[in-house]
């Protein structure tokens, strides 16, 4: 599927004509999924959703959304040609207080790469890609066929918005705060992330253990992203990461690649961000997703809004279980995946897990 889609789109306002469904989910929620929503009433007369609602989900066609690091100058350019996609950027400008599309297209790159800009930029561009797909011939049929979705770290918010768990606007507000909170947590302590290439997860853990024997508590490292065989991201204190880089060759790693992020994401270094996220999530209306959304924390789908809120707050300090997520989708029968948004990171990961896996990139 080409990303150069320029056909006219349906109105974004029309997508939100039903108050009960988010615009991204309205057109693909199947009657089968609706019939499976079960509500249990507690003694306090408060309705609660069975969190195990999606536990027996099947994965035929999946939407997968990228995370921080996928950003690139020029992203969003195609979105200007599709009214429903262009409106997302206009809405984003009102929420963020600056011209997001201009930064996406023109940079400067250093600004786009910053945590506080890149996270909202990827969120909006990925949902704009959904709108570009929608107006392409057969695109709505693809959207209707999607029966599971997930996203890498930040991309989990995009997946939840697509699945109707919260509105585009509320999701963007959460992503904005998340980026700011993670940046502030990174500024509070010197920390870094590095990809270790060429080792399995057990060997990377042994490497981390060796490093942690030599550095003080504040510098310790841990696996932060279980991406795919041969590629695991490690987070920790900057000194600990430097020691890891010096030891990696002796553990037979092919190479290490320092990641261009603000700090040690998905570790306890992000703990200062949790309380801010908890407060924002508590004030946000979150609904049961219309299709399963796989969590980064435990590689499981969750249906209960309160559980989703707790999971999202934990996500910034918990290792990303992406390898398990991909393996589970394949085990559940995924025939085709679609990576929506900038870059082709997810496609590369999927191919590392299973060379026969089918995935298509939909850019914006």
């Amino acid at each position: 599927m080409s990303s150069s889609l320029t056909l006219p789109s349906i109105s974004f306002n029309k997508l939100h004509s039903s108050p009960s469904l988010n615009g991204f989910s309205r057109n693909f929620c199947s009657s089968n999924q609706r019939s499976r929503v079960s509500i249990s009433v507690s003694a306090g007369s408060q309705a609660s959703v069975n969190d195990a609602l999606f536990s027996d989900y099947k994965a035929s066609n999946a939407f997968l959304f990228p995370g921080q690091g996928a950003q690139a100058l020029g992203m969003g350019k195609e979105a200007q040609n599709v009214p429903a996609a262009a409106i997302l950027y206009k809405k984003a400008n009102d929420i963020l207080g600056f011209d997001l599309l201009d930064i996406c297209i023109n940079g400067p790159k250093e600004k786009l790469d910053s945590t506080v800009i890149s996270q909202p930029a990827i969120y909006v561009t990925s949902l704009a890609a959904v709108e570009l797909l929608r107006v392409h011939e057969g695109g709505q049929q693809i959207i209707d066929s999607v029966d599971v979705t997930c996203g890498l770290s930040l991309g989990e918010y995009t997946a939840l918005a697509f699945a109707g768990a919260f509105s585009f606007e509320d999701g963007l507000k959460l992503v904005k705060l998340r980026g700011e909170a993670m940046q502030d947590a990174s500024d509070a302590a010197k920390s870094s992330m590095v990809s270790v290439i060429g080792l399995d997860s057990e060997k990377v853990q042994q490497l981390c253990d060796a490093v942690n024997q030599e550095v003080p508590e504040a510098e310790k490292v841990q696996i932060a992203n279980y991406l795919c065989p041969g590629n695991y991201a490690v987070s920790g204190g900057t000194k600990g990461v430097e020691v890891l880089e010096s030891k990696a060759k002796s553990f037979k790693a092919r190479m290490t690649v320092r990641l261009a992020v603000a700090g040690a994401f998905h570790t306890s270094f992000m703990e200062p961000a949790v309380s801010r996220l908890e407060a924002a999530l508590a004030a946000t209306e979150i609904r049961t997703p219309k299709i399963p959304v796989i969590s980064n924390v435990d590689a499981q789908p969750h249906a209960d809004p309160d559980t989703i809120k707790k999971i999202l707050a934990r996500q910034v300090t918990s290792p990303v279980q992406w390898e398990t997520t991909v393996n589970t989708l394949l085990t559940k029968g995924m025939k085709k995946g679609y990576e929506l948004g900038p870059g082709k990171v997810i496609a590369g990961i999927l191919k590392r897990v299973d060379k026969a896996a089918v995935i298509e990139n939909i850019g914006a």
Side-chain angles (χ1 to χ4, degrees), residues 190-263:
K190 290 183 178 180
S191 60
S192 304
M193 290 187 74
V194 61
S195 281
V196 180
I197 310 298
L199 298 180
D200 60 28
S201 58
E202 185 176 345
K203 274 288 187 183
V204 176
Q205 184 58 57
Q206 292 173 7
L207 173 58
C208 290
D209 292 342
V211 171
N212 291 338
Q213 290 177 2
E214 297 184 14
V215 299
E217 187 69 29
E219 298 289 345
K220 289 190 174 182
V221 298
Q222 70 177 72
I223 300 176
N225 288 355
Y226 291 84
L227 294 173
C228 62
N231 188 349
Y232 300 94
V234 173
S235 286
T238 299
K239 177 62 177 176
V241 168
E242 290 171 352
V243 173
L244 181 144
E245 290 169 330
S246 69
K247 285 181 170 292
K249 288 290 186 183
S250 66
F251 278 77
K252 309 301 183 186
R254 185 155 58 85
M255 68 172 73
T256 59
V257 179
R258 188 74 70 97
L259 301 181
V261 296

Side-chain angles (χ1 to χ4, degrees), residues 233-302:
V234 173
S235 286
T238 299
K239 177 62 177 176
V241 168
E242 290 171 352
V243 173
L244 181 144
E245 290 169 330
S246 69
K247 285 181 170 292
K249 288 290 186 183
S250 66
F251 278 77
K252 309 301 183 186
R254 185 155 58 85
M255 68 172 73
T256 59
V257 179
R258 188 74 70 97
L259 301 181
V261 296
F265 297 167
H266 299 290
T267 70
S268 59
F269 280 87
M270 293 295 108
E271 192 64 42
V274 173
S275 59
R276 292 171 63 180
L277 268 172
E278 285 175 337
L281 287 161
T284 301
E285 180 188 1
I286 293 185
R287 300 175 289 274
T288 297
K290 303 304 174 184
I291 58 173
V293 180
I294 311 305
S295 164
N296 282 260
V297 172
D298 59 7
Q300 297 293 325
H302 296 277

